[in-house]
Amino acid sequence: MRAIGLIALLFSCLWPAAAYTAELRGTGDLGIIVERASGSVVVIDTSRHSIIHRVKGLGDLSHASAVFSRDQRYAFVFGRDGGLTKVDLLKGEISGRTVQAGNSIGGAISDDGKLVAVSNYKPGGVKVFDAKTLDLIADIPAISGKGGERSKTVGLVDAPGRRFIFSLYDAGEIWIADFSAPGAPKLTKFGDAGKLPYDALITGDGRHYIAGLFGEDGLTHIDLWADKPETQTILKDYGRGDRKLPVYKMPHLEGWAKAGDRFILPAVGHHQLLAVDTRTFEHVGTVKLHGQPIFAVARPDGRHAWVNFALPHNDTIQVVDIPTLKVIHEFKPGPAALHMEFTPRGHEVWLSVRDADKVHIYDARTFAKKGELGVTKPSGIFFTARATRTGL
Amino acid sequence: MRAIGLIALLFSCLWPAAAYTAELRGTGDLGIIVERASGSVVVIDTSRHSIIHRVKGLGDLSHASAVFSRDQRYAFVFGRDGGLTKVDLLKGEISGRTVQAGNSIGGAISDDGKLVAVSNYKPGGVKVFDAKTLDLIADIPAISGKGGERSKTVGLVDAPGRRFIFSLYDAGEIWIADFSAPGAPKLTKFGDAGKLPYDALITGDGRHYIAGLFGEDGLTHIDLWADKPETQTILKDYGRGDRKLPVYKMPHLEGWAKAGDRFILPAVGHHQLLAVDTRTFEHVGTVKLHGQPIFAVARPDGRHAWVNFALPHNDTIQVVDIPTLKVIHEFKPGPAALHMEFTPRGHEVWLSVRDADKVHIYDARTFAKKGELGVTKPSGIFFTARATRTGL
């Protein structure tokens, strides 16, 4: 009995020690890949090209995006069903979750890392949460002065100075919510932001907010550095024109790439990329492509953009050289090559090949394939380095 | 006896459990601050504004710099005495160290995180080490074709594609060392790089290498994206002219700031900053300042630059608005305000006040002081987010 007791005691002592031997690791080279059909994400190590965790229970991820805490330890995953899930990348588990709306399209994190905002369709508006606890800090219903129902909110981004900017799809407005002072956010509303803004982006310097319009041609631009920021139209001919194009076929503004002196953006309804000067917003060139581009993703140095395509060409990737606007490489990774992410210094690009259940890894200069991971119905790939950049 | 035995057994079981209860943390918000007089660095948590470790034994840090591993777990600290020290930021200890030359001035890490290069004065040349083990991978003596002794090497930076670029001070050359293929690096040598290049920078897109010249006016520029890169002179009037200025009074090229469309750089021997267009390299404006500027550090969005000064004005900081080139703020943090570092999204700036043994933390928009840390003779401040950017 004494022997059994001693063995039991020894075992009970060793168990806690074993539980703490989790490997110490940095978080700067981690990331997540969304498994869109199973409500799960895999946590990946981009240095070792390996999957370190699979985390389940994130709800409907058929359309999902993510942002990261400033320490790069946590991902905040925004799901289509209004779920906001905080994932601990080190432990490989959910550390917080709230289903905060009926239908939701994306989110953002403030520059100081303290607030997470979510952009909701139903009910229309933006909710803001404490990044640490997920407590609700603010609820901003998207009710315009023009009357009518609450608008779906789209194009939510963070801006320097603890601000969020978003567009009201139905009312055609753009709002800035400034959380830099204690208490309720200070709202600045631009009531004339064009017809049916469906998406937006902010440039990496936090200066330019650009919204795509579904209800008319052109885009709406706000220069946030102006003494009195105001909405202006740029690229007046950019749009669907008279074509009957459903809104989900309009280009994602996160499909724009900033490459040095140029924005590179998918044309609407054409097999082309447009190049736009970043100082003047004038159209300066065109690249003819293999199909209708969905995403143009810039290599971090801005020298190349990798482009993927809508059906029926979504098995193909083209690489465009930005100074010459020429296609310099083309390859077929597999069926439904849908999302790309570059490592922060641009040495590799990772690519989801959804219908092959694979993520491929390529050398970003030689285009050689370096490896692959088995991921089930992979969609979005998000690396923790996004925590260091505005608008991502 | 049995009781004592049981207690001893229990104690010996609990001890390992206690040893593993080190707090799990992310590494994205960490940093180091050099304590220049004591051969030590402090590891800081920029979210909590706290010191988490002090690490000693790094040799002569009177002039020191650092780069970070891609996972942001390790700092590689380059000391004046030729020491290369790998510091584990999580454990707060030295995980590797080599004194690899007699006198050294800086280092860099490759874009894939696998190679660490060090730039040596004595003997003149560059050594390259395996980032994981610190094994020597390559030794590149700075022997030019012009004969003579080995040159001091300066202006060492990383460039996309597993390359390093550096200048030979005595011989007036610039070399590119390309490690993208297995085996010995492929060297490209620019034999006519001006007289006595004393420092250099590479732009964040990895496109422009710019070297300052001590032996003549003007700077040497290489556009790395050209089909056939070559050296060119830019800013022909920039320099010390006929003044008898010692080389250590020449501006550090890491004192240049890229702010949107402009480079902001200290003038030589004048109380001025110069603004230079990033597309044309032409001088487009001037800011009159309080003293001789040493470092102009851009807020990450490029809207402001914070500037510090040489003696006798090194108790003062001025903030310049870049679009208007006007000084918009001035304050006196204390004696020897020598180094500044912004958080990656620019919400805070940290400032070493060496002779007050303090590091101050400021809100980068309101300029309010948010806190301070006690650090002994602080000099360089380096945040782990540098791992995500070329040239840092």
Side-chain angles (χ1 to χ4, degrees):
Chain A
M1 280 307 287
R2 260 187 227 122
I4 292 170
L6 278 176
I7 290 168
L9 182 65
L10 199 69
F11 200 79
S12 68
C13 293
L14 289 175
W15 185 245
Y20 288 132
T21 53
E23 185 189 355
L24 272 188
R25 63 163 75 240
T27 51
D29 59 351
L30 301 185
I32 63 166
I33 304 172
V34 174
E35 294 190 309
R36 71 189 307 270
S38 47
S40 54
V41 301
V42 290
V43 181
I44 46 132
D45 176 328
T46 65
S47 296
R48 294 176 189 150
H49 292 182
S50 60
I51 293 171
I52 52 179
H53 300 295
R54 175 172 272 104
V55 184
K56 300 181 183 180
L58 279 82
D60 181 359
L61 298 181
S62 58
H63 186 121
S65 64
V67 298
F68 294 95
S69 59
R70 356 183 19 249
D71 63 358
Q72 297 176 24
R73 176 175 172 180
Y74 297 97
F76 297 92
V77 184
F78 308 101
R80 151 150 282 162
D81 56 0
L84 160 58
T85 313
K86 184 173 178 179
V87 178
D88 184 329
L89 304 179
L90 289 176
K91 291 186 174 178
E93 61 187 35
I94 292 175
S95 69
R97 176 168 161 83
T98 171
V99 182
Q100 51 82 48
N103 188 243
S104 172
I105 205 63
I109 185 162
S110 58
D111 57 352
D112 61 0
K114 296 196 168 163
L115 301 174
V116 173
V118 195
S119 173
N120 293 323
Y121 273 9
K122 194 188 301 183
V126 166
K127 287 189 179 170
V128 179
F129 299 86
D130 180 294
K132 202 158 183 177
T133 61
L134 297 190
D135 289 345
L136 182 68
I137 299 289
D139 187 348
I140 307 171
I143 299 170
S144 86
K146 305 181 180 96
E149 297 170 14
R150 292 167 68 146
S151 288
K152 300 183 201 34
T153 56
V154 295
L156 172 68
V157 301
D158 63 287
R162 224 164 121 109
R163 293 176 298 167
F164 295 107
I165 309 181
F166 54 96
S167 300
L168 279 62
Y169 175 78
D170 304 279
E173 299 191 1
I174 292 170
W175 291 10
I176 301 176
D178 185 326
F179 285 81
S180 56
K186 177 163 167 261
L187 295 178
T188 303
K189 301 181 182 184
F190 299 86
D192 180 18
K195 292 193 170 70
L196 302 176
Y198 68 94
D199 195 5
L201 64 83
I202 190 166
T203 50
D205 57 8
R207 177 171 184 175
H208 301 288
Y209 184 78
I210 299 171
L213 301 174
F214 183 64
E216 57 180 303
D217 288 347
L219 299 114
T220 301
H221 166 241
I222 300 176
D223 180 349
L224 296 162
W225 286 12
D227 289 330
K228 286 191 165 73
E230 54 184 20
T231 54
Q232 298 172 344
T233 302
I234 58 170
L235 293 175
K236 290 178 169 42
D237 299 325
Y238 183 80
R240 65 192 178 107
D242 296 327
R243 275 180 297 260
K244 291 197 180 301
L245 213 57
V247 70
Y248 66 82
K249 286 208 167 192
M250 297 293 286
H252 296 271
L253 264 78
E254 66 262 33
W256 285 36
K258 180 167 176 294
D261 296 338
R262 294 165 164 187
F263 291 115
I264 302 296
L265 45 140
V268 185
H270 294 291
H271 293 189
Q272 285 177 357
L273 287 178
L274 307 180
V276 171
D277 184 287
T278 58
R279 289 189 193 181
T280 62
F281 292 104
E282 280 162 14
H283 175 205
V284 296
T286 303
V287 190
K288 287 188 167 43
L289 296 174
H290 177 73
Q292 165 70 55
I294 300 293
F295 288 108
V297 186
R299 198 169 74 181
D301 67 351
R303 182 66 194 264
H304 293 163
W306 287 48
V307 189
N308 73 339
F309 300 96
L311 283 165
H313 301 114
N314 70 358
D315 61 348
T316 301
I317 300 289
Q318 287 187 305
V319 181
V320 176
D321 179 72
I322 301 301
T324 57
L325 292 183
K326 299 227 172 307
V327 175
I328 58 166
H329 182 61
E330 178 174 322
F331 65 108
K332 290 191 187 312
L338 293 184
H339 292 273
M340 291 169 285
E341 178 89 335
F342 282 88
T343 50
R345 286 192 182 188
H347 78 296
E348 284 176 355
V349 56
W350 290 44
L351 168 69
S352 285
V353 189
R354 185 193 65 197
D355 294 349
D357 293 320
K358 288 273 192 280
V359 169
H360 293 183
I361 303 166
Y362 295 91
D363 182 304
R365 294 177 82 81
T366 66
F367 312 132
K369 186 176 169 191
K370 296 174 74 170
E372 64 178 37
L373 297 175
V375 184
T376 310
K377 296 292 166 276
S379 61
I381 305 173
F382 304 90
F383 293 161
T384 54
R386 287 168 171 251
T388 65
R389 291 173 162 83
T390 296
L392 293 182
Chain B
M1 279 307 287
R2 263 188 223 119
I4 292 171
L6 278 175
I7 290 165
L9 184 65
L10 200 68
F11 200 79
S12 68
C13 294
L14 290 175
W15 185 244
Y20 288 133
T21 52
E23 187 190 352
L24 272 188
R25 64 163 73 239
T27 51
D29 61 349
L30 302 184
I32 64 165
I33 304 173
V34 174
E35 294 189 310
R36 71 190 306 271
S38 46
S40 54
V41 301
V42 290
V43 181
I44 45 135
D45 176 326
T46 65
S47 297
R48 294 177 189 147
H49 292 182
S50 59
I51 293 171
I52 53 178
H53 300 296
R54 175 172 272 103
V55 184
K56 299 181 184 180
L58 279 82
D60 180 358
L61 297 181
S62 58
H63 186 121
S65 63
V67 298
F68 293 95
S69 59
R70 356 183 19 249
D71 62 359
Q72 297 175 24
R73 176 175 172 179
Y74 298 97
F76 297 92
V77 184
F78 309 101
R80 150 149 283 158
D81 57 0
L84 161 58
T85 313
K86 185 174 179 179
V87 179
D88 185 327
L89 305 178
L90 288 176
K91 291 186 176 178
E93 61 187 35
I94 291 176
S95 68
R97 177 167 161 81
T98 170
V99 182
Q100 51 82 49
N103 188 242
S104 171
I105 206 62
I109 186 162
S110 57
D111 56 354
D112 62 359
K114 296 196 169 163
L115 301 174
V116 173
V118 196
S119 171
N120 293 323
Y121 274 8
K122 194 188 300 181
V126 166
K127 286 188 179 171
V128 179
F129 300 86
D130 180 295
K132 203 161 182 171
T133 61
L134 297 190
D135 289 345
L136 181 69
I137 298 291
D139 186 347
I140 308 170
I143 299 171
S144 87
K146 306 182 181 98
E149 296 168 15
R150 291 167 70 144
S151 286
K152 301 183 198 38
T153 56
V154 295
L156 172 67
V157 300
D158 61 289
R162 225 163 120 109
R163 293 177 298 167
F164 296 107
I165 310 179
F166 54 96
S167 301
L168 278 62
Y169 176 78
D170 304 279
E173 301 191 359
I174 292 171
W175 292 9
I176 301 176
D178 186 326
F179 285 82
S180 57
K186 178 167 167 258
L187 296 179
T188 304
K189 301 181 182 184
F190 300 87
D192 180 17
K195 292 193 170 72
L196 303 176
Y198 69 93
D199 197 5
L201 64 84
I202 191 166
T203 48
D205 57 6
R207 178 171 184 174
H208 301 288
Y209 185 79
I210 299 170
L213 300 174
F214 184 63
E216 56 180 303
D217 288 346
L219 299 115
T220 300
H221 166 240
I222 299 176
D223 180 350
L224 296 162
W225 286 13
D227 290 333
K228 287 189 164 72
E230 56 184 19
T231 55
Q232 297 174 346
T233 301
I234 60 170
L235 294 174
K236 290 179 172 34
D237 299 324
Y238 183 81
R240 63 191 180 111
D242 297 328
R243 275 179 298 260
K244 291 198 180 303
L245 214 57
V247 69
Y248 66 82
K249 285 208 168 194
M250 297 293 286
H252 296 271
L253 263 78
E254 66 261 31
W256 285 37
K258 180 166 177 296
D261 295 339
R262 294 167 165 184
F263 293 114
I264 302 296
L265 44 140
V268 185
H270 294 291
H271 293 190
Q272 287 176 356
L273 287 178
L274 308 179
V276 171
D277 185 287
T278 57
R279 288 187 193 183
T280 62
F281 293 104
E282 280 162 15
H283 176 206
V284 295
T286 304
V287 191
K288 287 187 166 47
L289 296 173
H290 176 73
Q292 165 70 53
I294 300 293
F295 289 107
V297 186
R299 199 170 72 180
D301 68 352
R303 182 66 194 265
H304 294 162
W306 288 47
V307 189
N308 73 340
F309 300 97
L311 282 165
H313 301 112
N314 70 358
D315 60 348
T316 300
I317 300 290
Q318 286 186 307
V319 182
V320 177
D321 179 73
I322 302 302
T324 58
L325 292 182
K326 300 226 172 305
V327 175
I328 57 165
H329 183 61
E330 178 175 321
F331 64 109
K332 290 189 188 311
L338 293 184
H339 291 273
M340 291 169 285
E341 178 90 333
F342 282 88
T343 49
R345 286 193 182 187
H347 76 298
E348 282 176 356
V349 57
W350 290 44
L351 168 69
S352 285
V353 190
R354 184 193 67 197
D355 294 348
D357 293 319
K358 287 274 193 284
V359 169
H360 292 182
I361 304 165
Y362 295 91
D363 183 303
R365 293 177 82 81
T366 66
F367 313 131
K369 186 176 169 193
K370 294 173 77 169
E372 64 178 38
L373 297 176
V375 184
T376 310
K377 296 292 167 276
S379 61
I381 305 174
F382 304 89
F383 292 162
T384 53
R386 286 167 171 252
T388 65
R389 291 175 162 83
T390 296
L392 295 182

